[in-house]
Every structure is written in structure tokens, then in C-alpha cells.
């Protein structure tokens, strides 16, 4: 398995993309389609979630963070991102679900 270290600001800066981060999202999406390892897929979903969150696309970010959490339930990073999104958006329902999931992981 090859692991790439990618700078989030570098991914967001694509002067040829129709909108900031578009090219990076497309490239990571293609990489995700080819990844078969659950850990790698979780890492890519988490990175896509961060990109989408920075782009203001909260629904897409949430979906990627949830998928990352499903693929790697012991990795708290995407779950913490979900909790942060729920707090910032004042989403009681999403916050409750994320905190319940966190409590389950902590057991």
C-alpha cells in the first residue's frame, strides 16, 4: 500500500479548477474508487470530508466523515470532525448521534 502525504491547502489551490478544491476532490474521488483497503478508503473519505468542509459543502463533508467512521470505527479523527460540524451547525440530532457513536467506541 502506498500512502501519500497531501497538504490540504495545496489540494485546495488548483487554478485550473472551476471552483476551489474541485480538482482535488475529483482526483481523490478517483483514488478512492481504486482503493480496496478499508484503512486507505477511510483515510481518503476523511480527507475528502476535510476538503468539502473547507469548501463549505457541509452535507458532502458529513457523508465522507460518516463513511470514514464506518470504515475505521476505532479512528476517532473523522468522528471528532462530525462532532465539530454538528456543534458549529447547532445540529442537536447529528450531535447526539455522533456522541452516541463516540460512547460506543469508548466502551
Amino acid at each position: 500500500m502506498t500512502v501519500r502525504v497531501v497538504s490540504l491547502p495545496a489540494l485546495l489551490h488548483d487554478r485550473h479548477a472551476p471552483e476551489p478544491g474541485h480538482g482535488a476532490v475529483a482526483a481523490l474521488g478517483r483514488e478512492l474508487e481504486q482503493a480496496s483497503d478499508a484503512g486507505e478508503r477511510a483515510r481518503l473519505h476523511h480527507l475528502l470530508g476535510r476538503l468539502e468542509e473547507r469548501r463549505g459543502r457541509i452535507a458532502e463533508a458529513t457523508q465522507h466523515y460518516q463513511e470514514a467512521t464506518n470504515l475505521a470505527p476505532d479512528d476517532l479523527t473523522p468522528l471528532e470532525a462530525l462532532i465539530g460540524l454538528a456543534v458549529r451547525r447547532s445540529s442537536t440530532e447529528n450531535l447526539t448521534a455522533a456522541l452516541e457513536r463516540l460512547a460506543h467506541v469508548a466502551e
Side-chain angles (χ1 to χ4, degrees):
M1 173 177 72
T2 303
V3 176
R4 290 185 314 136
V5 176
V6 181
S7 161
L8 189 59
L11 284 174
L12 286 170
H13 182 71
D14 180 357
R15 59 179 185 244
H16 301 295
E19 60 181 289
H22 177 78
V25 170
L28 288 173
R30 287 189 299 275
E31 196 171 328
L32 180 62
E33 289 174 2
Q34 297 175 2
S36 59
D37 176 71
E40 177 66 3
R41 291 181 61 77
R43 185 186 73 79
L44 291 167
H45 273 293
H46 179 236
L47 187 53
L48 281 161
R50 289 181 60 200
L51 282 168
E52 294 292 24
E53 185 176 354
R54 292 273 306 263
R55 295 173 69 204
R57 298 174 57 131
I58 302 306
E60 291 83 352
T62 299
Q63 289 175 324
H64 285 296
Y65 289 145
Q66 288 173 336
E67 190 60 34
T69 300
N70 291 339
L71 289 165
D74 294 333
D75 183 358
L76 297 181
T77 308
L79 187 53
E80 290 169 351
L82 277 172
I83 291 168
L85 273 178
V87 167
R88 287 189 300 280
R89 309 268 305 158
S90 299
S91 175
T92 307
E93 183 179 324
N94 290 342
L95 180 59
T96 301
L99 289 174
E100 286 174 356
R101 191 168 202 160
L102 179 60
H104 179 73
V105 170
E107 291 178 343

